[in-house]
Amino acid sequence: MIDNISFNKLLTEKYSLLKTITKKYNYSDELLNMLIFIYMSFYIDFESKCDQPLCDLFNSVKIIYETGTLNEVAQKNNFGHVPQGSVAVTISTTNLNAFTTNNSTKNPKTILLATQIEGKLVSPLLKLEMLLHEIRHILMSYFNTNILLDKDTYYIRSGLQETYFKKGNGITSMFSLETIGRTLDEITNTYITELLINRIISFQKYNIENQSLKSYLNSIKSNEQYKSLGYKHEVELLSPLLTNQIFINTINMHEFDGEISIVKNLFENNTDIYNYKDFCNLLDDIYKDNRKHKLENNTNINKLKAIV
């Protein structure tokens, strides 16, 4: 555990750094405070290894935080319609010019953050969770991604989600894509975000010298363990794996460094029922069934329980 003096020194250093990086965006004090504590929550795990990725992220990703619902914020900023029922979303497009120019540079991303959902004000904790959730998705796609594997296949990784863009014949289709691990990535991102939110809440044990940051921490004070709201059913189903420290620490580290083959090997070395890809597909099917309210006596859920 970091002592109080060291924590405040680190907090002051990151606060000054982020104020400089984000100056061009003219963020509010509230948003800047959220970003500082999000930075600190990652730093506890990755230490200086996350400095450059986070600096690049906060420099290149603009966060639009405005009054209203997420859909209102999106339309006001000319991003069109976004799905209802959320507080934050990342807007991005895929750079498919890699096929013709060999330029696999990532296209810019924008995070939209709202203050209302379904006619109600969003609590400070929920705003923090949703913002951290989106930032973590982006951070976990820093290494080992946007790779032209061959002249016909472009690979993009975000956490445990892998997408393969394959060149079409140019007549019936320009591109086809295969995605592996979408639901597994959302489940792990949701669960680890929950851990990080509780870590930020725990920072209240420090005597924080910066009064703005101290006031913000007081605004999210909670006497109970915070539970994430997203993917609730799926997280509960996978909880035996998520609460296994070896499993979740391995996922956290290798979502970050991009060496997700280590995660795949860990899974396949501990079960002979499913291979990793089939396991990911099973989770995708369960998520689809959940959206259709087909959960009772679900065969796929029974298959999952046999694994975890």
Side-chain angles (χ1 to χ4, degrees):
M1 185 175 121
I2 305 176
D3 63 75
N4 193 75
I5 294 175
S6 299
F7 184 83
N8 272 289
K9 182 180 178 182
L10 187 61
L11 193 62
T12 300
E13 174 191 319
K14 302 309 177 189
Y15 185 77
S16 176
L17 177 65
L18 272 190
K19 280 193 78 171
T20 301
I21 291 173
T22 62
K23 185 177 181 180
K24 62 183 176 181
Y25 296 125
N26 195 29
Y27 290 152
S28 67
D29 287 343
E30 181 193 6
L31 180 53
L32 184 58
N33 289 340
M34 284 192 273
L35 296 181
I36 297 297
F37 285 118
I38 288 172
Y39 195 127
M40 292 291 291
S41 72
F42 288 126
Y43 194 89
I44 300 299
D45 282 335
F46 306 119
E47 298 181 329
S48 61
K49 292 191 292 292
C50 71
D51 278 334
Q52 192 60 54
L54 282 172
C55 287
D56 288 347
L57 189 159
F58 290 127
N59 183 53
S60 62
V61 178
K62 183 178 181 180
I63 302 167
I64 299 176
Y65 173 39
E66 293 180 354
T67 302
T69 65
L70 190 60
N71 201 42
E72 288 169 344
V73 174
Q75 292 191 35
K76 181 180 176 181
N77 290 277
N78 301 313
F79 288 109
H81 178 80
V82 297
Q84 298 289 340
S86 187
V87 177
V89 68
T90 299
I91 307 291
S92 64
T93 57
T94 303
N95 174 21
L96 294 177
N97 292 327
F99 284 112
T100 55
T101 65
N102 291 324
N103 178 6
S104 58
T105 303
K106 300 174 190 177
N107 282 345
K109 292 181 172 66
T110 302
I111 296 176
L112 306 182
L113 180 65
T115 61
Q116 297 176 30
I117 184 171
E118 298 174 354
K120 298 178 181 179
L121 285 175
V122 180
S123 71
L125 261 177
L126 182 57
K127 274 187 287 191
L128 181 64
E129 178 200 343
M130 294 295 102
L131 179 58
L132 201 161
H133 183 98
E134 295 302 320
I135 288 174
R136 189 177 183 277
H137 269 313
I138 299 172
L139 179 62
M140 296 300 127
S141 64
Y142 189 82
F143 297 109
N144 195 23
T145 185
N146 293 74
I147 301 168
L148 192 62
L149 298 178
D150 56 50
K151 65 182 181 65
D152 295 322
T153 311
Y154 185 46
Y155 172 82
I156 296 178
R157 184 197 65 83
S158 176
L160 295 178
Q161 178 173 307
E162 300 173 282
T163 303
Y164 297 84
F165 289 87
K166 299 180 183 293
K167 230 176 179 181
N169 56 22
I171 300 173
T172 57
S173 66
M174 294 299 293
F175 301 100
S176 64
L177 63 87
E178 177 187 17
T179 300
I180 302 168
R182 176 181 288 136
T183 303
L184 178 59
D185 180 61
E186 287 293 350
I187 292 171
T188 57
N189 195 52
T190 297
Y191 182 75
I192 293 173
T193 295
E194 177 183 299
L195 297 179
L196 295 175
I197 291 293
N198 282 296
R199 175 179 290 166
I200 292 171
I201 293 171
S202 78
F203 289 160
Q204 294 171 43
K205 64 179 175 280
Y206 293 107
N207 182 19
I208 294 176
E209 296 166 359
N210 183 302
Q211 290 305 305
S212 178
L213 294 174
K214 187 173 184 176
S215 295
Y216 176 75
L217 265 190
N218 287 333
S219 76
I220 60 168
K221 192 172 184 178
S222 175
N223 295 321
E224 298 178 352
Q225 195 79 356
Y226 185 78
K227 302 293 289 184
S228 289
L229 300 178
Y231 293 86
K232 184 177 180 180
H233 180 76
E234 292 81 7
V235 168
E236 288 175 353
L237 286 173
L238 215 59
S239 63
L241 282 180
L242 298 175
T243 54
N244 181 299
Q245 287 302 305
I246 294 175
F247 181 80
I248 201 64
N249 290 342
T250 300
I251 282 181
N252 190 35
M253 181 55 66
H254 298 301
E255 282 183 334
F256 174 68
D257 66 21
E259 301 297 332
I260 63 172
S261 60
I262 296 173
V263 175
K264 297 176 184 180
N265 290 336
L266 176 65
F267 176 82
E268 294 190 344
N269 288 338
N270 284 278
T271 181
D272 55 4
I273 300 176
Y274 276 84
N275 62 37
Y276 177 81
K277 184 176 179 180
D278 288 342
F279 175 68
C280 288
N281 291 338
L282 177 63
L283 289 174
D284 290 341
D285 290 340
I286 289 173
Y287 176 74
K288 291 173 188 174
D289 289 340
N290 191 9
R291 302 285 76 76
K292 296 175 184 176
H293 307 290
K294 294 181 179 179
L295 292 177
E296 294 183 8
N297 301 317
N298 189 298
T299 303
N300 287 328
I301 289 179
N302 292 331
K303 290 179 181 177
L304 180 65
K305 288 180 177 179
I307 302 170
V308 302

